[in-house]
């Protein structure tokens, strides 16, 4: 018996790897079964959902903007925990749901559905095995009786119905013969108590009695009759138990029968590990040798260049020194002038003429040099600047000899940056890689080079988060096929927005005109239709009458901080106005739209009204720019009244940056993150994203970049496996 116990201990300890949660890397605690059939701790699922919930709040700038209409609680994290545990929990429809998260085991997105955590089964079998492992690991630690008076005695058995452990005496007292408790199920001492009957998480009063073969999970009869599994193929629990147990037993017997083969392959793997270690060290030595040769070449070129600079410097200094000495000779009682003064003292005419002729030529030459002073040499060393750009580029591409794996190419058109960065790349099908490594780093113009961050990716797209605002980032990718690595791709540089992204949707309740505006179900796209209603009103249109604009605003306001949002204006749009407006100004517009939208009323209308220029310098509670006919029109200003200075090509995507605290709004070309126009705005009231359309037109809000961007690609890969 002691030998059997020892063997059991060894077996339990040998499976520790299977008992580790992929999220927290510790032994499972109350493991739950995800839809992908991997298990994860209950607390780890909570933490993953909370972290994603916080990231979505960051996307909407809610963390930095306490005045957001969607951020109502001073302590949201505790409320989140309650909501996640509550059945039927949903996020507000205005923000993305966080019931979807990547499984830590397989990295595929899993959706918990409407019920969230409450819709998951608890893995009692795994929990029991973990408990046996814990007991084996702490064999010397006894489980004490839960009912003994202090000091408690060591327990001898545990009741699964009472979920408590007892010593012999307490068990007799609390489970007397002839009572119902005497029929309770008891086992050896344990701290792992599980229900005797597994209940359905969807219908909490129903027992699990069937197995859905499509979803690979137990269900109850109500799930089959009218629930999510009504059209799925199900089987009885006993049949599923028998089938799965036979398959598992057969597979285990097969593996046990191949034990000698497994041991042989383990020995072979150990030899390969040693060989890899030796070959790796040899490759490192060869690489070091190659780099040392490069260092020698660089040192030689460095020495040669420095010698050339020193020689040129010495030659120039010698010329300057000679010139200085010559000019010093022009001083009184010094050099040439002093010598000439002595010659003038000669009284013998013959001797004087003999000497003075040549001296006079030298004096004339010196006089001319004074009139046209020119340094004897140049001080600039522009001709000696070492051009290393080409060599630097070559060194940046320095890699191994051709490995048979093509270099992946980053798709600049599909890669974009908003609240996060979405990086996509192409790779030839013939050299399909096993995995990729995406590298990125912040580019600091005035500081030392920042090290690369690395992310391993299984597909050809990756969303990178936690990037700093108003910063340049460089991205590059390399491919891995087996143990072979390709060179890095060409770098792609992207500029993050100047502030955190503000998340909102179009408001369908405030000022929305459903006769002329068409809002989609997601409320992130609005279109203006110049349709039948406009024709019916045509008899009222006369000269001097301006057709009114149809306004629509965002469903979230801003009362502090810096915020940025982006959108696309459809190229066919005739007239669209975009910008910000205060709550009181919006009420004024929406209550008297015909007067409020007169071009004479608006400071940016482009019409020659006297009020425009007069009030331009003063801060107003709104700022709107005009977009239409594929053009971007900036408002008039005292310094830029010419039409050609106010008309720009319409960017593909337009961004708006509002600094509420400084009272300034800026309009950006999102493609190049370039500011097109900025001005002061009165932010004494709540500010809202404001839009107005006239005639045919459309506006599409930029969708925040999340892991959802990759779902379509993953689905396509799943449907079309190679």
């Amino acid at each position: 018996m002691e030998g059997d116990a020892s063997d059991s201990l060894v077996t339990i300890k040998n499976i520790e790897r299977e008992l580790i949660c992929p999220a927290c890397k510790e032994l499972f605690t109350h493991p739950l079964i995800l839809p992908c059939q991997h298990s994860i701790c209950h607390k780890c699922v909570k933490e993953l959902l909370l972290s994603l919930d916080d990231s979505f709040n960051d996307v909407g700038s809610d963390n930095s903007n306490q005045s957001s209409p969607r951020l109502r609680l001073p302590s949201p994290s505790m409320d989140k925990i309650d909501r996640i545990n509550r059945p039927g929990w949903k996020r507000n429809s205005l923000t993305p749901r966080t019931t979807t998260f990547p499984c830590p085991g397989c990295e595929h997105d899993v959706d918990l559905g409407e019920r969230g955590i409450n819709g998951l089964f608890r893995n009692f079998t795994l929990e029991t095995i973990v408990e046996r492992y814990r007991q084996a690991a702490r064999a010397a630690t006894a489980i004490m009786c839960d009912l003994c008076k202090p000091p408690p005695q060591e327990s001898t058995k545990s009741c699964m119905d009472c979920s408590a452990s007892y010593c012999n005496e307490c068990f007799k007292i609390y489970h007397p013969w002839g009572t119902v408790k005497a029929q309770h199920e008891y086992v050896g001492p344990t701290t792992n108590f599980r229900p005797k009957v597994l209940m359905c998480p969807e219908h909490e009063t129903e027992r699990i009695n069937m197995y859905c073969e499509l979803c690979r999970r137990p269900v109850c009869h109500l799930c089959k009759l009218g629930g999510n599994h009504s059209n799925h193929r199900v089987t009885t629990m006993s049949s599923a138990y028998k089938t799965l147990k036979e398959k598992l037993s057969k597979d285990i017997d097969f593996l046990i029968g191949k034990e000698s083969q497994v041991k042989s392959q383990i020995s072979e793997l150990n030899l390969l590990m040693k060989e890899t270690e030796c070959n790796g060290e040899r490759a490192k030595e060869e690489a070091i040798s190659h780099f040392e040769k490069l260092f020698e070449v660089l040192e030689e070129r460095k020495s040669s260049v420095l010698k050339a600079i020193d020689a040129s410097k010495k030659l120039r200094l010698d010329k300057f020194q000679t010139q200085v000495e010559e000019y010093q000779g022009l001083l009184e009682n010094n050099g040439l002038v002093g010598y000439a003064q002595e010659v003038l003292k000669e009284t013998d005419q013959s001797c004087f003429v003999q000497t003075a002729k040549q001296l006079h030529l030298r004096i004339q030459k010196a006089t001319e040099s004074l009139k046209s002073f020119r340094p004897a040499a140049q001080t600039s060393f522009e001709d000696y600047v070492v051009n290393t750009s080409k060599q630097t580029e070559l060194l940046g591409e320095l890699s191994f000899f051709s490995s048979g794996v093509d270099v992946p190419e980053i798709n600049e058109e599909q890669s974009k940056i908003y609240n996060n960065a979405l990086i996509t790349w192409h790779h030839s099908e013939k050299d399909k890689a096993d995995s990729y490594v995406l590298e990125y780093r912040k580019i600091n113009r005035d500081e030392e080079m920042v090290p690369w961050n690395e992310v391993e990716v299984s597909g050809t797209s990756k969303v990178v988060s936690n990037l700093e605002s108003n910063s340049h980032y460089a991205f590059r990718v390399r491919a891995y096929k087996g143990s072979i690595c390709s060179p890095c791709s060409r770098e792609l540089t992207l500029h993050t927005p100047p502030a955190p992204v503000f998340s909102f949707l179009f408001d369908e309740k405030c000022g929305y005109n459903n006769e002329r505006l068409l809002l989609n179900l997601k409320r992130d796209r609005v279109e203006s239709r110049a349709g039948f209603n406009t024709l019916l009103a045509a008899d009222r249109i006369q000269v001097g009458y301006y057709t009114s604009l149809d306004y629509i605003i965002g469903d979230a306001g801003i009362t502090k901080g810096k915020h940025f949002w982006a959108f696309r204006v459809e190229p066919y749009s005739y007239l669209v106005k975009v910008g910000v407006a205060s709550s009181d100004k919006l009420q004024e517009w929406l209550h008297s739209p015909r007067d409020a939208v007169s071009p004479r009323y608006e400071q940016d209308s482009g019409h020659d009204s006297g009020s425009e220029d007069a009030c331009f310098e003063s801060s107003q509670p709104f700022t709107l720019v005009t977009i239409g006919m594929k053009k971007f029109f900036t408002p008039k200003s005292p310094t830029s009244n010419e039409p050609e200075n106010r008309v720009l090509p319409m960017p593909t995507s337009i961004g708006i940056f509002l600094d509420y605290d400084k009272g300034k709004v800026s309009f950006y070309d999102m493609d190049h993150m370039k500011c097109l126009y900025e001005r002061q705005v009165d932010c004494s009231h709540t500010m809202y994203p404001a839009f107005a359309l006239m005639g045919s037109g459309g506006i599409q809000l930029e969708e925040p970049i999340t892991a959802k961007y990759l779902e379509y690609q993953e689905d396509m890969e799943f449907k079309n496996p190679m």
Side-chain angles (χ1 to χ4, degrees):
M1 293 297 292
E2 291 180 1
D4 293 341
S6 177
D7 292 342
S8 176
L9 178 62
V10 172
T11 302
I12 287 293
K13 285 191 174 182
N14 286 343
I15 66 171
E16 178 179 1
R17 180 180 177 183
E18 303 296 327
L19 310 181
I20 300 296
C21 172
C24 62
K25 307 301 180 185
E26 297 179 358
L27 289 175
F28 281 106
T29 304
H30 306 308
L32 302 176
I33 304 175
L34 300 179
C36 60
Q37 302 303 305
H38 291 100
S39 294
I40 183 174
C41 295
H42 183 271
K43 62 179 178 63
C44 294
V45 178
K46 280 186 180 180
E47 291 172 358
L48 283 171
L49 290 175
L50 289 176
S51 64
L52 286 174
D53 194 43
D54 288 337
S55 69
F56 280 125
N57 281 338
D58 291 339
V59 169
S61 301
D62 290 346
N63 286 347
S64 61
N65 178 16
Q66 299 298 325
S67 65
S68 170
R70 293 193 290 277
L71 192 62
R72 306 183 183 277
L73 297 175
S75 178
S77 56
M78 291 303 297
D79 177 70
K80 291 177 198 168
I81 294 176
D82 294 338
R83 285 186 286 126
I84 288 174
N85 288 328
R86 198 182 307 144
W89 170 70
K90 277 186 177 181
R91 283 184 54 87
N92 190 314
S93 61
L94 301 182
T95 52
R97 294 176 57 212
T98 50
T99 56
T100 301
F101 63 93
C103 168
C106 61
E107 297 185 355
H108 284 85
D109 282 353
V110 292
D111 193 345
L112 303 187
E114 299 290 334
R115 293 180 57 80
I117 291 180
N118 287 7
L120 299 177
F121 280 105
R122 191 166 159 185
N123 195 338
F124 290 109
T125 302
L126 176 58
E127 198 168 335
T128 301
I129 297 173
V130 170
E131 177 59 27
R132 288 208 302 265
Y133 173 84
R134 293 183 189 274
Q135 290 183 9
R138 59 170 189 262
T141 304
I143 299 175
M144 309 308 292
C145 177
D146 294 327
L147 281 301
C148 276
K149 294 182 180 180
Q153 301 295 316
E154 183 177 342
S155 64
T156 57
K157 54 179 68 70
S158 297
C159 178
M160 301 304 292
D161 295 272
C162 301
S163 299
S165 298
Y166 302 89
C167 64
N168 284 331
E169 294 299 323
C170 290
F171 188 81
K172 293 177 182 178
I173 295 173
Y174 291 96
H175 296 76
W177 290 105
T179 64
V180 176
K181 286 191 174 183
Q183 306 299 320
H184 284 186
E185 177 186 358
Y186 62 91
V187 295
T190 183
T191 58
N192 179 39
F193 300 100
R194 65 181 188 182
K196 300 178 68 175
V197 178
L198 201 59
M199 307 303 289
C200 177
E202 296 289 336
H203 311 93
E204 298 177 357
T205 60
E206 299 296 326
R207 298 177 57 177
I208 292 297
N209 54 10
M210 287 182 282
Y211 181 80
C212 178
E213 296 182 353
L214 179 62
C215 302
R216 296 182 299 173
R217 61 176 290 166
V219 296
C220 70
H221 71 283
L222 292 181
C223 292
K224 175 59 180 172
L225 289 177
N228 296 330
H229 308 269
S230 57
N231 297 322
H232 296 178
R233 181 178 176 181
V234 300
T235 184
T236 62
M237 189 60 67
S238 59
S239 176
Y241 171 81
K242 181 180 179 181
T243 302
L244 291 174
K245 191 160 190 175
E246 288 178 354
K247 288 182 178 179
L248 185 59
S249 299
K250 184 178 180 180
D251 292 340
I252 292 174
D253 291 340
F254 175 80
L255 291 176
I256 294 175
K258 298 291 184 179
E259 185 173 356
S260 59
Q261 181 180 346
V262 172
K263 290 181 178 179
S264 173
Q265 291 175 350
I266 291 174
S267 300
E268 183 179 353
L269 289 173
N270 287 328
L271 291 175
L272 292 175
M273 288 173 62
K274 292 180 180 179
E275 184 178 351
T276 301
E277 183 74 25
C278 295
N279 291 340
E281 292 299 321
R282 188 180 300 112
K284 284 175 60 178
E285 292 175 359
E286 292 178 358
I288 291 173
S289 174
H290 286 298
F291 277 102
E292 287 178 347
K293 290 180 180 178
L294 285 177
F295 295 153
E296 291 175 2
V297 173
L298 287 174
E299 284 294 334
E300 181 182 352
R301 294 303 302 155
K302 175 184 174 183
S303 176
S304 175
V305 168
L306 295 181
K307 285 181 180 179
I309 294 175
D310 286 337
S312 178
K313 181 181 71 173
K314 184 178 182 303
L315 179 62
R316 297 182 191 194
L317 291 175
D318 289 343
K319 288 183 178 181
F320 280 127
Q321 184 62 38
T322 302
Q323 192 174 21
V324 168
E325 292 174 357
E326 290 178 355
Y327 274 82
Q328 285 178 343
L330 302 180
L331 299 176
E332 186 178 2
N333 299 323
N334 196 7
L336 180 61
V337 174
Y339 173 65
Q341 290 173 336
E342 293 298 325
V343 171
L344 288 173
K345 296 178 182 179
E346 177 62 50
T347 58
D348 186 280
Q349 294 181 358
S350 300
C351 293
F352 176 80
V353 171
Q354 182 183 16
T355 305
K357 182 61 178 178
Q358 183 183 9
L359 180 60
H360 184 245
L361 293 175
R362 292 178 62 191
I363 291 293
Q364 283 183 327
K365 186 177 180 180
T367 303
E368 290 176 358
S369 68
L370 284 175
K371 294 179 180 179
S372 58
F373 174 74
R374 180 179 297 176
Q378 294 183 352
T379 59
S380 172
F381 279 78
E382 293 179 354
D383 296 337
Y384 287 84
V385 175
V386 180
N387 182 7
T388 61
S389 57
K390 183 178 179 180
Q391 289 75 12
T392 301
E393 184 177 354
L394 290 174
L395 287 174
E397 297 175 356
L398 185 64
S399 185
F400 306 105
F401 287 114
S402 178
S403 57
V405 181
D406 287 346
V407 181
E409 296 181 4
I410 294 182
N411 188 327
E412 297 186 15
E413 294 183 357
Q414 295 184 6
S415 298
K416 59 184 298 185
I417 199 163
Y418 191 36
N419 59 309
N420 296 317
L422 170 66
I423 309 299
T424 65
W425 54 90
H426 297 304
H427 205 209
S428 59
E429 291 296 328
K430 66 182 183 65
D431 287 324
K432 192 70 174 179
D434 299 329
S435 63
Y436 301 88
V437 171
L438 175 65
E439 298 181 349
Y440 66 96
R441 68 180 176 190
K442 182 182 176 183
I443 301 176
N444 289 341
R445 301 297 184 184
D446 302 326
E447 300 178 9
E448 296 182 358
M449 195 69 72
V450 178
W452 291 93
N453 299 293
E454 295 187 355
V455 182
E456 187 172 353
V457 186
S458 57
T460 56
S461 297
K462 181 63 180 177
V463 173
V464 181
S465 56
N466 300 322
L467 302 179
E468 296 183 17
S469 300
N470 199 25
S471 301
H472 286 85
Y473 281 86
F475 300 86
R476 67 185 187 187
V477 65
R478 62 179 187 269
Y480 279 88
K481 191 172 184 179
S483 58
I484 302 175
C485 171
S486 76
C488 288
S489 67
R490 181 174 297 179
E491 293 182 15
L492 171 65
T493 301
L494 296 175
H495 190 185
T496 58
V501 170
F502 182 63
S503 180
F504 67 90
L505 300 173
F506 288 120
D507 194 336
E508 60 183 347
K509 299 178 181 178
C510 183
Y512 170 60
N513 187 336
N514 58 9
E515 292 183 357
R516 291 193 295 267
L517 295 182
L518 178 62
L519 190 62
N520 67 348
L521 293 177
K522 293 173 64 177
R523 293 196 288 117
D524 63 352
R525 179 180 177 83
V526 64
E527 293 184 56
S528 173
R529 303 283 184 172
F532 194 64
N533 292 326
T534 303
L535 295 177
L536 288 175
D539 57 340
R540 298 196 307 271
I541 300 179
Q542 303 295 334
V543 177
Y545 177 85
Y546 295 97
T547 303
S548 63
L549 292 167
D550 294 309
Y551 281 88
I552 189 168
I553 65 173
D555 62 358
I558 298 171
T559 59
K560 63 186 297 187
K562 299 178 180 180
H563 307 274
F564 184 87
W565 60 93
F567 50 88
R568 298 190 303 274
V569 175
E570 296 297 340
Y572 64 81
S573 301
Y574 174 67
L575 193 157
V576 173
K577 288 180 176 289
V578 297
V580 295
S582 65
S583 54
D584 60 335
K585 178 57 66 174
L586 286 171
Q587 289 180 359
E588 179 183 333
W589 285 346
L590 299 176
H591 281 90
S592 55
R594 181 167 299 178
D595 296 334
V597 298
S598 169
R600 182 169 294 276
Y601 179 85
E602 293 187 18
Q603 55 89 16
D604 68 327
S605 63
H607 288 257
D608 295 325
S609 65
S611 61
E612 283 181 350
D613 298 335
C615 67
F616 185 88
E617 295 300 330
S618 61
S619 180
Q620 300 187 54
F622 69 97
T623 292
L624 299 172
V625 299
T626 302
I627 300 169
M629 301 179 67
K630 300 182 180 180
K631 301 294 182 182
F632 181 96
F633 301 85
T634 61
K636 295 178 66 175
S637 70
T639 59
S640 178
N641 289 325
E642 296 299 327
E644 59 270 16
N645 296 330
R646 297 180 52 227
V647 181
L648 303 172
M650 185 182 74
T652 305
S653 182
I654 300 168
I656 297 181
F657 168 40
L658 175 64
D659 189 338
Y660 186 95
D661 300 329
K662 292 184 177 180
K664 186 169 69 174
V665 61
S666 307
F667 297 82
Y668 278 77
D669 176 354
M670 274 288 291
D671 292 337
H672 307 94
M673 205 57 71
K674 176 184 176 183
C675 182
L676 303 176
Y677 172 73
E678 67 178 11
R679 68 156 293 167
Q680 294 298 122
V681 62
D682 181 7
C683 294
S684 56
H685 294 83
T686 303
M687 305 299 291
Y688 286 86
F691 307 85
L693 302 93
M694 184 169 69
S696 296
I699 302 174
Q700 173 70 56
L701 299 179
E702 284 287 354
E703 182 181 358
I705 299 174
T706 67
K708 290 285 187 182
Y709 265 79
L710 308 182
E711 285 187 355
Y712 174 75
Q713 295 176 354
E714 291 179 354
D715 290 342
M716 293 301 294
E717 291 176 2
F718 177 77
K719 294 176 182 177
N720 302 289
M722 294 301 294

